[in-house]
Amino acid sequence: MLRKRLLWNIFLPFMTVVIVALVLITMHTSRSLRGFFYEQMRTDLTNRAQLLIAAVGPLLDAGDHEAIQTFAQEHGHSGDIRITVVLRDGQVIGESHDDPARMDSHALRAEIAPALAGRISDTIRYSATTRQHQMYVAVPILRNGEVIAVMRAAHALTTIDQALAVVQQRIALGGVLLALGAAAVSFGLARGISAPLRTMQIGAARFARGRLDTRLQTRASSEEIVALAEALNAMAAQLDERITTIEKQRNEQEAVLASMVECVLAIDRDETIIRLNQASCDVLGLDQQTVLGRSLQESVRNPGLIQLARQALAGSEPVEGEIILRRDGERHLQVHATGLHGPDGQRLGALLVLNDVTRMRRLETLRRDFVANVSHELRTPITSIKGFVETLQTDPPPDPAASVRFLAIINRQADRLQAIIDDLLCLSRLEQDDGPASLAREDTRVIEILLDAVNVCTARTTDEEVSVRIDCPPDLRLPANAALLEQAVVNLLDNALKHSGTTREVLITARAEHGRVAITVRDEGRGIAPEHLPRIFERFYRADRARSRALGGTGLGLAIVKHIAQAHGGEATATSTVGEGSAFTIVLPTDGRVTIDT
Ligand code: ADP
């Protein structure tokens, strides 16, 4: 619909009313004036006719028609009126502006007929004789109550019409001036009303665009406009406050959701994603902006998750389940799905909370494997001990040397049991410590640790072909737990000696580099195949199970080394080439306290 501006809405009707009123007034005034002038003329003509009757009466009585004609001509021209005398039968006997002999019967003329009937009558019509509009007034001439003739006086209307035209022109001019004045006044008035409203409109549009910090000016306006502006300002202030509060709450919610480790994902009743936090995006591999408004099925292609979501949408109870996500490896996610309800209790959708339990599941598996491994490791020597003890009890060998051999085996297996238990206790103690922060450390000379470890190990070995060489700055120092560090070096050296063939050399190097101390035990033994290297530091992992057992290994030595390094805030690494040898390195941080005395 075409909408006009308020200015025109006020101004145009106002002007229409003014113009219509002016036209009506002009018309009414000119009609009244015309009526007034005509009435004047009618009275004048009647009076004149009556005066003429007084003069014509005797001539009529005498039947002197010629004298009547002369009279009519004289008085007609001197009085500037047309005079006609008509007999009862309609014959014209006197006419100021024509020859009566040529004139037809006037008995049926509109003004004559009523006069012949005894009434003064008048009419306005076109005269064929004078060729103009005229007012005729006919007065009966009576004798003894009988109409004997009619005196008609007539006058042209031209002068009245001309006078009226002048008057009408003046009225019209006055009307136009009045209309112009009214137009100016009404335009001013309309502007006075519409201008502040336009200011309101601009202000309201600014509010609609979100500029709620601006205010409408209320000065120099009418009471209603000021009240409207104040109401709009109050509305804007309240909206501003509410929006600020809502934004603050939303930011808080966003912050809470964003900082949650759990994945939070909300869907509506049509399974469309309506909200999700960063954790969900990271874990499920989604882009927040892209998936919002998309369906869950389309975005997360995991049947387990979709089924749980559908169960939560369909039922009234929360549902729980675990799903496996195959993305960058396997991830176990525990899902809690529950219905989402609005303030009035109506169902809006469902909320899914996903907990990453991969680590927990991995630890459970590790624990299960560890228990199975420990049981297995313990069972082997115990079975052996039990077997030989039973043999000695039930069926003792006749040869005492055999019994001694049996007892030696029992003793060796008991030692093995002891070694496993000692290593397990050692690991358990290392795991119980709270890490590097709580480890008791003192300034230690590395060379002393290495020498002690070599002494311990060479005392155990009988293989004199193997030589151990130490390459360490004599005054290299670092803060360490000397006993644990010595045990780690002993374990590495033990392995190197065990797995070196004969006539080989083991080299222990210690170096300070980049604020850390690296101790490497390098042998020239059989080496470790690449597929075993990544798992070599796991508990009970052995590259060569049979050989390790034969050499009396517990499978825990390297795990202990790794834990000791980690307890110091460092790490243990291994490199190896099959047939050429292995190198195990412990790298320990020095907290900037490495010193090499000079
Ligand atoms: P173990 O008590 O069996 O020696 P470890 O944890 O010390 O247990 O070592 C784990 C496995 O790593 C060993 O069984 C062995 O197969 C392999 N290994 C360790 N050190 C060496 C080495 N220097 N050379 C070759 N293999 C080694």
Side-chain angles (χ1 to χ4, degrees), residues 318-375:
V319 283
E320 272 188 37
E322 198 167 312
I323 60 166
I324 297 176
L325 210 69
R326 287 185 175 83
R327 215 184 132 253
D328 307 334
E330 217 171 66
R331 288 185 100 158
H332 293 254
L333 298 172
Q334 196 171 39
V335 185
H336 293 258
T338 177
L340 259 184
H341 299 277
D344 47 359
Q346 117 239 31
R347 171 69 61 100
L348 298 178
L351 183 76
L352 311 174
V353 180
L354 283 71
N355 259 307
D356 191 346
V357 290
T358 315
R359 203 175 120 79
M360 219 165 77
R361 295 285 172 265
R362 202 173 289 150
L363 285 176
E364 274 171 17
T365 313
L366 274 180
R367 190 187 52 79
R368 260 200 312 273
D369 290 353
F370 178 68
V371 171
N373 279 333
V374 170
S375 315

Side-chain angles (χ1 to χ4, degrees), residues 491-492 495-496 498-500 523 526-528 536 538 541-545 548-549 552-559 576 582 584:
N491 285 6
L492 291 181
N495 280 345
K498 270 193 288 186
H499 298 286
S500 285
D523 65 57
R526 50 195 298 110
I528 303 162
I536 207 80
E538 285 178 22
Y541 190 86
R542 294 174 173 101
D544 184 342
R545 198 163 282 274
S548 164
R549 289 236 174 76
T554 61
L556 294 169
L558 287 180
S576 183
S582 316
F584 287 83

